Amino acid sequence: MKKLLPALVALVAFTLLLSAPAPAQWLNFKTPGIPRTPDGKADLSAPVPKTPDGKPDLSGIWRAPMSVYGQNIAADLKPGDVQPWAEQMYQQRVLNLGADSPRAHCLPDPPPFYHAASISRIVQTSNLIMIVTEGISNSSVVRTIYTDGRGLPEDPNPSWLGYSVGHWEGDTMVVTTAGFNDRSWLDGSGHPHTEALRTTERFHRRDFGHMDFEMTIDDAKAFTKPFTLRMNKTLAPDTDLLESICEENERIVTHLRGGTGFRLTPEVLSKYAGTYEFAPGRPVIVTSNGDVLFLQRSANGPKEPFAAQSDTVFLSRGNGEQLRAGDRLEFVKDANGAITQFVLHLTRAGDQKAVRKSN
């Protein structure tokens, strides 16, 4: 027992370290050049900083809003807005629980995902802008946006992040990107794109700590029309990026099992659709499309995809691992087999029960 005691102490100490939130590298270092309120906090409503030529300076570390677009980039679209082959591939990836996700194999995400769910450093110079994004489960990535007047390459070698050029329209930096390969997913649940993909990003620093951001997705081979996403960013002062290296991604690979193969027909799935309530005045809407069930946590909220694992249990997964948000949806039936409620099991927030109000 005496020999085991030091090992047990070390194990407990290591466990405590793992359970503590990861700090930035410099705990007590305040970012220079940040305007402060009298109590020393960053004044995020201060005026926009300018470069020597009078343009807005976009530099800083910016936090994404953890938008649902990271999981479902087509959350606001109608079924007909996605080309049939792309919708079929998307649904198959949802039903397979993201087991073949590029991200699960240490391959990059496309820029839409980074804007929806990550923290990034923007470094602005006179001729180019660099965007360094901290990885979540895969490696950090670096984008280069050329602002020296060059155009996009005419015949680019397809790449994961494409080729980007930018110009100013008033106080807004407009970035056009093309030359993507077709191997990445547009979101965590599996919307595909083709090499025809073209994105237009608009960065507008509203004040010192807030940035209005828009991205237009244009890929006529995968979608029937261009569409625009809005994912505004907030400055993260007095912090820094952490290094993230993806090596085999063992944490995710252990979950690369795909779905159970269980399927419910579209006719059966439609019986789950309807309006439920978490509480009076807190509606949640369940809809279906093809083989996939969708959950809207508010009347006008975005749609989160779920795949049936049995006639009562549905999972929302991406990248080959179960997501922290929307982990498991479990429906409850009465003695006649009618669905009366569901329980949304959340890893961090616990269980939330919703009672059915109407079909």
Side-chain angles (χ1 to χ4, degrees):
M1 181 66 186
K2 290 181 178 180
K3 293 181 179 180
L4 291 176
L5 186 57
L8 290 173
V9 171
L11 178 61
V12 170
F14 181 66
T15 303
L16 291 174
L17 284 174
L18 290 179
S19 63
Q25 293 93 322
W26 291 274
L27 292 177
N28 300 312
F29 185 77
K30 291 187 177 296
T31 306
I34 299 289
R36 305 281 173 178
T37 57
D39 59 1
K41 295 181 179 179
D43 184 0
L44 300 186
S45 61
V48 175
K50 303 283 186 175
T51 61
D53 62 358
K55 297 297 184 183
D57 190 348
L58 305 180
S59 299
I61 295 179
W62 297 92
R63 192 178 302 279
M66 295 304 295
S67 168
V68 73
Y69 298 127
Q71 175 66 6
N72 181 10
I73 202 168
D76 300 329
L77 301 185
K78 299 176 181 178
D81 295 337
V82 183
Q83 296 286 6
W85 74 266
E87 179 65 26
Q88 182 180 4
M89 180 175 289
Y90 165 68
Q91 294 210 9
Q92 181 56 46
R93 288 170 172 175
V94 171
L95 295 173
N96 200 34
L97 303 180
D100 56 346
S101 164
R103 188 163 179 245
H105 297 277
C106 289
L107 298 171
D109 295 309
F113 184 89
Y114 295 120
H115 289 306
S118 297
I119 183 169
S120 303
R121 182 196 299 276
I122 296 179
V123 180
Q124 180 176 330
T125 73
S126 58
N127 292 317
L128 58 82
I129 293 174
M130 305 286 289
I131 301 182
V132 183
T133 300
E134 181 179 282
I136 298 178
S137 67
N138 55 354
S139 299
S140 304
V141 296
V142 180
R143 285 182 65 199
T144 300
I145 300 167
Y146 294 99
T147 58
D148 54 5
R150 74 180 69 186
L152 290 170
E154 293 184 3
D155 187 21
N157 182 35
S159 63
W160 287 95
L161 301 180
Y163 301 82
S164 300
V165 297
H167 67 276
W168 289 100
E169 292 184 2
D171 288 341
T172 299
M173 169 55 63
V174 181
V175 177
T176 304
T177 305
F180 295 96
N181 65 36
D182 60 0
R183 298 173 60 192
S184 63
W185 293 7
L186 285 176
D187 52 32
S189 58
H191 276 100
H193 66 86
T194 72
E195 291 186 357
L197 173 65
R198 190 181 183 97
T199 67
T200 302
E201 300 156 282
R202 302 179 68 87
F203 299 80
H204 177 259
R205 192 167 186 170
R206 187 182 346 134
D207 53 24
F208 195 89
H210 303 92
M211 185 181 294
D212 301 323
F213 175 78
E214 295 182 0
M215 171 176 273
T216 298
I217 307 293
D218 188 355
D219 184 352
K221 295 182 179 180
F223 301 92
T224 60
K225 62 181 181 181
F227 58 98
T228 299
L229 313 173
R230 293 171 178 83
M231 298 173 284
N232 295 341
K233 301 173 182 291
T234 303
L235 188 73
D238 305 333
T239 190
D240 215 315
L241 302 186
L242 293 171
E243 181 181 68
S244 176
I245 303 296
C246 183
E247 183 179 1
E248 303 300 333
N249 223 347
E250 294 178 1
R251 181 174 67 85
I252 287 182
V253 171
T254 57
H255 297 282
L256 293 178
R257 304 186 183 95
T260 62
F262 183 86
R263 298 289 186 270
L264 292 175
T265 65
E267 292 73 24
V268 173
L269 273 181
S270 66
K271 298 179 180 180
Y272 294 74
T275 300
Y276 299 72
E277 277 189 342
F278 284 130
R282 288 187 58 203
V284 55
I285 299 172
V286 175
T287 57
S288 65
N289 178 34
D291 297 328
V292 177
L293 206 66
F294 292 89
L295 180 72
Q296 291 176 268
R297 301 194 200 187
S298 61
N300 298 312
K303 296 180 179 179
E304 303 170 58
F306 284 79
Q309 303 302 292
S310 72
D311 62 350
T312 57
V313 175
F314 292 71
L315 292 183
S316 177
R317 288 189 183 179
N319 313 318
E321 64 173 345
Q322 191 165 330
L323 298 174
R324 288 179 177 174
D327 285 344
R328 181 159 54 95
L329 196 60
E330 187 171 2
F331 287 88
V332 178
K333 299 181 179 182
D334 62 17
N336 297 319
I339 298 167
T340 59
Q341 59 184 285
F342 69 75
V343 179
L344 180 61
H345 300 280
L346 300 175
T347 301
R348 289 186 172 178
D351 294 348
Q352 298 180 12
K353 183 174 73 173
V355 178
R356 189 168 197 166
K357 305 301 293 184
S358 64
N359 296 334

Coordinates of all heavy atoms in Angstrom, one line a residue, residues 11-87:
L11 N -1.9 10.6 -9.4 CA -3.0 10.4 -10.3 C -4.1 11.4 -9.9 O -4.7 12.0 -10.8 CB -3.6 9.0 -10.1 CG -4.9 8.6 -11.0 CD1 -4.6 8.8 -12.4 CD2 -5.3 7.2 -10.7
V12 N -4.4 11.6 -8.6 CA -5.4 12.6 -8.2 C -5.0 14.0 -8.7 O -5.8 14.8 -9.2 CB -5.6 12.6 -6.7 CG1 -6.4 13.7 -6.2 CG2 -6.2 11.2 -6.2
A13 N -3.7 14.3 -8.5 CA -3.2 15.7 -8.9 C -3.4 15.9 -10.4 O -3.8 16.9 -10.9 CB -1.7 15.8 -8.5
F14 N -3.1 14.8 -11.2 CA -3.2 14.9 -12.6 C -4.7 15.1 -13.0 O -5.0 15.8 -13.9 CB -2.6 13.7 -13.3 CG -2.7 13.7 -14.8 CD1 -2.0 14.6 -15.5 CD2 -3.5 12.7 -15.4 CE1 -2.0 14.6 -16.9 CE2 -3.5 12.7 -16.8 CZ -2.8 13.7 -17.5
T15 N -5.6 14.3 -12.3 CA -7.0 14.4 -12.6 C -7.5 15.8 -12.3 O -8.3 16.4 -13.1 CB -7.8 13.4 -11.8 OG1 -7.3 12.1 -12.0 CG2 -9.3 13.5 -12.1
L16 N -7.0 16.5 -11.2 CA -7.5 17.8 -10.9 C -7.0 18.8 -12.0 O -7.7 19.7 -12.3 CB -6.9 18.2 -9.5 CG -7.5 17.5 -8.3 CD1 -6.8 17.9 -7.1 CD2 -9.0 17.8 -8.2
L17 N -5.8 18.6 -12.5 CA -5.3 19.4 -13.5 C -6.2 19.3 -14.8 O -6.5 20.3 -15.4 CB -3.9 19.1 -13.9 CG -2.8 19.5 -12.9 CD1 -1.4 19.0 -13.3 CD2 -2.7 21.1 -12.8
L18 N -6.6 18.1 -15.1 CA -7.4 17.9 -16.3 C -8.8 18.6 -16.1 O -9.4 19.0 -17.1 CB -7.6 16.4 -16.6 CG -6.3 15.7 -17.1 CD1 -6.7 14.2 -17.3 CD2 -5.8 16.3 -18.4
S19 N -9.3 18.6 -14.9 CA -10.7 19.1 -14.7 C -10.7 20.6 -14.6 O -11.7 21.2 -14.7 CB -11.2 18.5 -13.4 OG -10.5 18.9 -12.3
A20 N -9.5 21.2 -14.4 CA -9.5 22.7 -14.3 C -9.6 23.3 -15.7 O -9.1 22.7 -16.6 CB -8.2 23.1 -13.6
P21 N -10.2 24.5 -15.8 CA -10.2 25.1 -17.1 C -8.8 25.5 -17.6 O -8.0 25.9 -16.8 CB -11.1 26.4 -16.9 CG -11.0 26.6 -15.4 CD -10.8 25.3 -14.8
A22 N -8.6 25.3 -18.9 CA -7.3 25.6 -19.5 C -7.0 27.1 -19.5 O -7.8 27.8 -20.2 CB -7.2 25.0 -20.9
P23 N -6.0 27.6 -18.8 CA -5.7 29.0 -18.8 C -4.9 29.4 -20.1 O -4.3 28.5 -20.7 CB -4.9 29.2 -17.6 CG -4.1 27.9 -17.4 CD -5.1 26.8 -18.0
A24 N -4.9 30.7 -20.4 CA -4.0 31.2 -21.4 C -2.6 31.1 -20.9 O -2.3 30.9 -19.7 CB -4.4 32.6 -21.8
Q25 N -1.6 31.2 -21.9 CA -0.2 31.1 -21.5 C 0.3 32.2 -20.5 O 1.1 31.9 -19.6 CB 0.7 31.1 -22.7 CG 0.5 29.9 -23.6 CD -0.5 30.2 -24.7 OE1 -1.5 30.8 -24.5 NE2 -0.3 29.6 -25.9
W26 N -0.2 33.4 -20.7 CA 0.2 34.5 -19.8 C -1.1 34.9 -19.0 O -2.0 35.6 -19.5 CB 0.7 35.7 -20.6 CG 2.0 35.3 -21.3 CD1 3.2 35.5 -20.8 CD2 2.2 34.8 -22.6 NE1 4.2 35.1 -21.7 CE2 3.6 34.6 -22.8 CE3 1.3 34.4 -23.7 CZ2 4.2 34.1 -24.0 CZ3 1.9 33.9 -24.8 CH2 3.3 33.7 -25.0
L27 N -1.1 34.6 -17.7 CA -2.3 34.8 -16.9 C -2.5 36.2 -16.5 O -3.7 36.7 -16.5 CB -2.1 33.9 -15.6 CG -2.2 32.4 -15.8 CD1 -2.0 31.7 -14.4 CD2 -3.5 32.0 -16.4
N28 N -1.5 37.0 -16.3 CA -1.7 38.3 -15.7 C -1.2 39.4 -16.7 O -0.9 40.5 -16.2 CB -0.9 38.4 -14.4 CG -1.4 37.4 -13.4 OD1 -2.7 37.3 -13.2 ND2 -0.5 36.7 -12.7
F29 N -1.1 39.1 -18.0 CA -0.6 40.1 -18.9 C -1.7 40.7 -19.7 O -2.5 40.0 -20.3 CB 0.4 39.4 -19.9 CG 1.0 40.4 -20.9 CD1 2.1 41.2 -20.4 CD2 0.6 40.5 -22.2 CE1 2.7 42.1 -21.3 CE2 1.1 41.4 -23.0 CZ 2.2 42.2 -22.6
K30 N -1.9 42.0 -19.5 CA -2.9 42.8 -20.2 C -2.5 43.2 -21.6 O -1.4 43.7 -21.7 CB -3.4 44.0 -19.4 CG -4.1 43.6 -18.1 CD -4.7 44.8 -17.4 CE -5.5 44.4 -16.2 NZ -6.7 43.6 -16.5
T31 N -3.3 43.0 -22.6 CA -2.9 43.3 -24.0 C -2.7 44.8 -24.1 O -3.5 45.6 -23.7 CB -4.1 42.9 -24.9 OG1 -4.4 41.5 -24.7 CG2 -3.7 43.1 -26.4
P32 N -1.5 45.2 -24.6 CA -1.2 46.6 -24.8 C -2.1 47.2 -25.8 O -2.6 46.6 -26.7 CB 0.2 46.6 -25.3 CG 0.8 45.3 -25.0 CD -0.4 44.3 -25.0
G33 N -2.4 48.5 -25.7 CA -3.2 49.3 -26.6 C -4.7 49.1 -26.5 O -5.5 49.6 -27.3
I34 N -5.1 48.4 -25.4 CA -6.6 48.2 -25.2 C -7.1 49.3 -24.4 O -6.6 49.6 -23.3 CB -6.9 46.9 -24.5 CG1 -6.3 45.7 -25.3 CG2 -8.3 46.7 -24.2 CD1 -7.1 45.4 -26.6
P35 N -8.1 50.1 -24.9 CA -8.7 51.1 -24.0 C -9.4 50.5 -22.8 O -10.0 49.4 -22.9 CB -9.7 51.8 -25.0 CG -10.0 50.8 -26.0 CD -8.8 50.0 -26.2
R36 N -9.3 51.2 -21.7 CA -9.8 50.6 -20.4 C -10.9 51.5 -19.8 O -10.8 52.8 -19.9 CB -8.6 50.4 -19.4 CG -7.5 49.6 -20.0 CD -7.8 48.1 -19.9 NE -6.7 47.3 -20.6 CZ -6.7 46.0 -20.6 NH1 -7.7 45.3 -20.0 NH2 -5.7 45.4 -21.2
T37 N -11.8 50.9 -19.1 CA -12.7 51.6 -18.2 C -12.0 51.9 -16.9 O -10.9 51.4 -16.6 CB -14.0 50.8 -18.0 OG1 -13.6 49.5 -17.4 CG2 -14.7 50.5 -19.3
P38 N -12.5 52.8 -16.1 CA -11.9 53.1 -14.8 C -11.5 51.9 -13.9 O -10.6 51.9 -13.2 CB -12.9 54.0 -14.1 CG -13.6 54.7 -15.2 CD -13.7 53.6 -16.3
D39 N -12.3 50.8 -14.0 CA -12.0 49.6 -13.2 C -11.0 48.7 -13.9 O -10.7 47.6 -13.4 CB -13.3 48.9 -12.9 CG -14.0 48.4 -14.2 OD1 -13.5 48.6 -15.3 OD2 -15.1 47.8 -14.0
G40 N -10.4 49.1 -15.0 CA -9.4 48.3 -15.6 C -9.9 47.3 -16.7 O -9.0 46.7 -17.3
K41 N -11.2 47.2 -16.9 CA -11.7 46.3 -17.8 C -11.6 46.9 -19.3 O -11.5 48.1 -19.4 CB -13.1 45.9 -17.5 CG -13.3 45.2 -16.2 CD -14.8 44.8 -16.0 CE -15.0 44.1 -14.7 NZ -16.4 43.7 -14.5
A42 N -11.5 46.0 -20.2 CA -11.4 46.5 -21.6 C -12.7 47.2 -22.0 O -13.8 46.7 -21.7 CB -11.2 45.3 -22.6
D43 N -12.6 48.3 -22.6 CA -13.7 49.1 -23.1 C -14.1 48.7 -24.5 O -13.6 49.3 -25.5 CB -13.4 50.6 -23.0 CG -14.6 51.5 -23.3 OD1 -15.7 51.0 -23.6 OD2 -14.4 52.7 -23.3
L44 N -15.0 47.8 -24.6 CA -15.3 47.2 -25.9 C -16.2 48.2 -26.8 O -16.3 48.0 -28.0 CB -16.1 45.9 -25.8 CG -15.3 44.8 -25.0 CD1 -16.1 43.5 -25.1 CD2 -13.9 44.5 -25.6
S45 N -16.7 49.2 -26.1 CA -17.5 50.2 -26.9 C -16.7 51.4 -27.3 O -17.2 52.3 -27.9 CB -18.7 50.6 -26.0 OG -18.2 51.3 -24.8
A46 N -15.4 51.4 -27.1 CA -14.5 52.5 -27.5 C -14.5 52.6 -29.0 O -14.9 51.6 -29.7 CB -13.1 52.3 -27.0
P47 N -14.0 53.7 -29.6 CA -14.0 53.8 -31.1 C -13.1 52.8 -31.8 O -12.2 52.2 -31.2 CB -13.4 55.2 -31.2 CG -13.7 55.9 -30.0 CD -13.6 54.9 -28.9
V48 N -13.4 52.6 -33.0 CA -12.6 51.6 -33.8 C -11.2 52.2 -34.0 O -11.0 53.3 -34.4 CB -13.3 51.5 -35.2 CG1 -12.4 50.6 -36.1 CG2 -14.7 50.9 -35.1
P49 N -10.2 51.3 -33.8 CA -8.8 51.7 -34.1 C -8.5 51.8 -35.6 O -9.2 51.1 -36.4 CB -7.9 50.6 -33.5 CG -8.8 49.4 -33.5 CD -10.2 49.9 -33.3
K50 N -7.6 52.7 -36.0 CA -7.3 53.0 -37.4 C -5.9 52.7 -37.7 O -5.0 52.8 -36.9 CB -7.7 54.4 -37.8 CG -9.1 54.9 -37.5 CD -10.1 54.3 -38.5 CE -11.5 54.9 -38.3 NZ -12.4 54.5 -39.4
T51 N -5.6 52.3 -38.9 CA -4.3 52.1 -39.4 C -3.7 53.5 -39.9 O -4.5 54.4 -40.0 CB -4.2 51.1 -40.6 OG1 -5.0 51.6 -41.7 CG2 -4.8 49.8 -40.2
P52 N -2.4 53.6 -40.2 CA -1.9 54.9 -40.6 C -2.5 55.5 -41.8 O -2.6 56.7 -42.0 CB -0.4 54.6 -40.9 CG -0.1 53.4 -39.9 CD -1.3 52.6 -39.9
D53 N -3.1 54.6 -42.7 CA -3.8 55.1 -43.9 C -5.3 55.4 -43.7 O -6.0 55.7 -44.6 CB -3.6 54.1 -45.1 CG -4.2 52.8 -44.8 OD1 -4.7 52.6 -43.7 OD2 -4.2 51.9 -45.7
G54 N -5.7 55.3 -42.4 CA -7.1 55.7 -42.1 C -8.1 54.6 -42.2 O -9.3 54.8 -41.9
K55 N -7.7 53.4 -42.5 CA -8.6 52.3 -42.6 C -8.8 51.6 -41.2 O -8.0 51.7 -40.4 CB -8.1 51.2 -43.6 CG -7.9 51.7 -45.0 CD -9.2 52.0 -45.6 CE -9.1 52.4 -47.1 NZ -10.4 52.8 -47.7
P56 N -10.0 51.0 -41.0 CA -10.2 50.3 -39.7 C -9.1 49.2 -39.6 O -8.8 48.5 -40.5 CB -11.6 49.7 -39.9 CG -12.3 50.6 -40.9 CD -11.2 51.0 -41.9
D57 N -8.6 49.1 -38.4 CA -7.7 48.0 -38.1 C -8.5 46.8 -37.5 O -9.0 46.9 -36.4 CB -6.6 48.5 -37.1 CG -5.5 47.5 -36.9 OD1 -5.6 46.4 -37.4 OD2 -4.5 47.9 -36.3
L58 N -8.5 45.7 -38.2 CA -9.3 44.6 -37.8 C -8.5 43.7 -36.8 O -9.0 42.7 -36.3 CB -9.7 43.7 -39.0 CG -10.4 44.5 -40.1 CD1 -10.8 43.5 -41.2 CD2 -11.7 45.1 -39.6
S59 N -7.2 44.0 -36.5 CA -6.3 43.2 -35.7 C -6.9 42.9 -34.3 O -7.6 43.8 -33.7 CB -5.0 43.8 -35.6 OG -4.4 44.0 -36.9
G60 N -6.7 41.7 -33.8 CA -7.1 41.4 -32.5 C -7.5 39.9 -32.5 O -7.5 39.2 -33.5
I61 N -7.8 39.4 -31.3 CA -8.3 38.1 -31.1 C -9.8 38.1 -31.0 O -10.4 38.8 -30.1 CB -7.7 37.4 -29.9 CG1 -6.2 37.2 -30.1 CG2 -8.3 36.0 -29.6 CD1 -5.5 36.6 -28.9
W62 N -10.5 37.4 -31.9 CA -12.0 37.5 -32.0 C -12.6 36.1 -31.7 O -12.2 35.1 -32.2 CB -12.3 38.0 -33.4 CG -11.8 39.4 -33.7 CD1 -10.7 39.7 -34.3 CD2 -12.5 40.6 -33.4 NE1 -10.5 41.1 -34.4 CE2 -11.7 41.6 -33.8 CE3 -13.7 40.9 -32.8 CZ2 -12.0 43.0 -33.7 CZ3 -14.1 42.2 -32.6 CH2 -13.2 43.3 -33.1
R63 N -13.7 36.2 -31.0 CA -14.4 35.0 -30.6 C -15.6 34.8 -31.4 O -16.4 35.8 -31.5 CB -14.7 35.0 -29.1 CG -15.2 33.7 -28.5 CD -15.4 33.8 -27.0 NE -14.3 34.2 -26.3 CZ -13.3 33.4 -25.9 NH1 -13.3 32.1 -26.2 NH2 -12.3 33.9 -25.2
A64 N -15.8 33.6 -32.0 CA -17.0 33.3 -32.7 C -18.2 33.1 -31.8 O -18.0 32.8 -30.6 CB -16.8 32.1 -33.6
P65 N -19.4 33.2 -32.3 CA -20.6 33.2 -31.4 C -21.1 31.7 -31.1 O -22.1 31.6 -30.5 CB -21.7 33.9 -32.2 CG -21.3 33.6 -33.6 CD -19.8 33.6 -33.7
M66 N -20.3 30.7 -31.5 CA -20.7 29.3 -31.3 C -22.1 29.1 -32.0 O -23.0 28.5 -31.4 CB -20.8 28.9 -29.8 CG -19.4 28.9 -29.2 SD -18.2 27.9 -30.0 CE -18.9 26.2 -29.8
S67 N -22.2 29.6 -33.2 CA -23.4 29.6 -34.0 C -23.8 28.1 -34.4 O -22.9 27.3 -34.6 CB -23.3 30.4 -35.2 OG -24.4 30.2 -36.1
V68 N -25.1 27.9 -34.5 CA -25.5 26.5 -35.0 C -25.0 26.3 -36.4 O -25.0 25.1 -36.9 CB -27.0 26.5 -34.9 CG1 -27.7 27.3 -36.0 CG2 -27.5 25.0 -35.0
Y69 N -24.6 27.3 -37.1 CA -24.2 27.1 -38.5 C -22.9 26.2 -38.5 O -22.6 25.6 -39.6 CB -23.9 28.5 -39.2 CG -25.1 29.4 -39.3 CD1 -25.0 30.7 -38.8 CD2 -26.2 28.9 -39.9 CE1 -26.1 31.5 -39.0 CE2 -27.4 29.7 -40.0 CZ -27.3 31.0 -39.5 OH -28.4 31.8 -39.6
G70 N -22.2 26.2 -37.4 CA -21.1 25.2 -37.4 C -21.5 23.8 -37.5 O -20.8 22.9 -38.0
Q71 N -22.7 23.5 -37.1 CA -23.3 22.2 -37.2 C -24.2 22.0 -38.4 O -24.2 20.9 -39.0 CB -24.1 21.8 -35.9 CG -24.8 20.5 -35.9 CD -23.8 19.3 -35.9 OE1 -22.6 19.5 -35.8 NE2 -24.4 18.1 -36.0
N72 N -24.9 23.0 -38.8 CA -25.8 22.9 -39.9 C -25.8 24.3 -40.6 O -26.6 25.2 -40.3 CB -27.2 22.6 -39.4 CG -28.2 22.4 -40.6 OD1 -27.9 22.4 -41.7 ND2 -29.5 22.4 -40.2
I73 N -25.0 24.4 -41.7 CA -24.9 25.6 -42.4 C -26.2 26.0 -43.1 O -26.4 27.2 -43.5 CB -23.7 25.6 -43.3 CG1 -23.2 27.0 -43.7 CG2 -24.0 24.8 -44.6 CD1 -21.9 27.0 -44.4
A74 N -27.0 25.0 -43.4 CA -28.3 25.2 -44.1 C -29.4 25.4 -43.2 O -30.6 25.1 -43.6 CB -28.5 24.1 -45.1
A75 N -29.2 25.7 -41.9 CA -30.2 25.8 -40.9 C -31.4 26.7 -41.3 O -32.5 26.4 -40.9 CB -29.7 26.2 -39.5
D76 N -31.1 27.7 -42.0 CA -32.2 28.7 -42.4 C -32.8 28.4 -43.8 O -33.7 29.1 -44.2 CB -31.6 30.1 -42.4 CG -31.1 30.5 -41.0 OD1 -31.7 30.0 -40.0 OD2 -30.2 31.3 -40.9
L77 N -32.2 27.4 -44.5 CA -32.7 27.2 -45.9 C -33.9 26.2 -45.9 O -34.2 25.5 -45.0 CB -31.5 26.5 -46.7 CG -30.2 27.3 -46.8 CD1 -29.3 26.6 -47.7 CD2 -30.5 28.8 -47.2
K78 N -34.6 26.3 -47.0 CA -35.7 25.4 -47.3 C -35.1 24.1 -48.0 O -34.1 24.2 -48.6 CB -36.7 26.0 -48.2 CG -37.4 27.3 -47.5 CD -38.3 27.9 -48.5 CE -38.9 29.2 -47.8 NZ -39.8 29.9 -48.8
P79 N -35.8 23.0 -47.9 CA -35.3 21.7 -48.5 C -34.9 21.9 -50.0 O -33.9 21.4 -50.5 CB -36.4 20.7 -48.3 CG -37.1 21.2 -47.0 CD -37.0 22.7 -47.1
G80 N -35.7 22.7 -50.7 CA -35.5 22.9 -52.1 C -34.3 23.7 -52.4 O -33.9 23.8 -53.6
D81 N -33.7 24.4 -51.4 CA -32.5 25.2 -51.7 C -31.2 24.4 -51.8 O -30.2 25.0 -52.2 CB -32.4 26.2 -50.5 CG -33.5 27.2 -50.4 OD1 -34.2 27.4 -51.5 OD2 -33.8 27.8 -49.4
V82 N -31.3 23.1 -51.5 CA -30.1 22.3 -51.6 C -30.4 21.3 -52.7 O -31.4 20.7 -52.9 CB -29.9 21.5 -50.3 CG1 -28.7 20.6 -50.4 CG2 -29.9 22.4 -49.1
Q83 N -29.3 21.2 -53.6 CA -29.5 20.3 -54.8 C -29.7 18.9 -54.3 O -29.2 18.5 -53.2 CB -28.2 20.3 -55.6 CG -27.9 21.7 -56.2 CD -28.8 22.0 -57.4 OE1 -29.7 21.3 -57.7 NE2 -28.5 23.1 -58.1
P84 N -30.6 18.1 -55.0 CA -31.0 16.8 -54.5 C -29.8 15.9 -54.2 O -29.8 15.2 -53.1 CB -31.7 16.2 -55.7 CG -32.3 17.4 -56.4 CD -31.3 18.5 -56.2
W85 N -28.7 15.8 -55.0 CA -27.6 14.9 -54.7 C -26.9 15.4 -53.3 O -26.5 14.5 -52.6 CB -26.6 14.9 -55.8 CG -25.7 16.2 -55.9 CD1 -26.0 17.3 -56.6 CD2 -24.5 16.5 -55.1 NE1 -25.0 18.2 -56.4 CE2 -24.1 17.8 -55.5 CE3 -23.8 15.8 -54.2 CZ2 -23.0 18.4 -55.0 CZ3 -22.6 16.3 -53.7 CH2 -22.2 17.6 -54.1
A86 N -26.8 16.7 -53.1 CA -26.2 17.3 -51.9 C -27.0 17.0 -50.7 O -26.5 16.6 -49.6 CB -25.9 18.8 -52.1
E87 N -28.4 17.1 -50.8 CA -29.3 16.8 -49.7 C -29.2 15.3 -49.4 O -29.2 14.9 -48.2 CB -30.7 17.1 -50.1 CG -31.7 16.8 -49.0 CD -31.5 17.6 -47.7 OE1 -30.9 18.8 -47.8 OE2 -31.9 17.2 -46.6

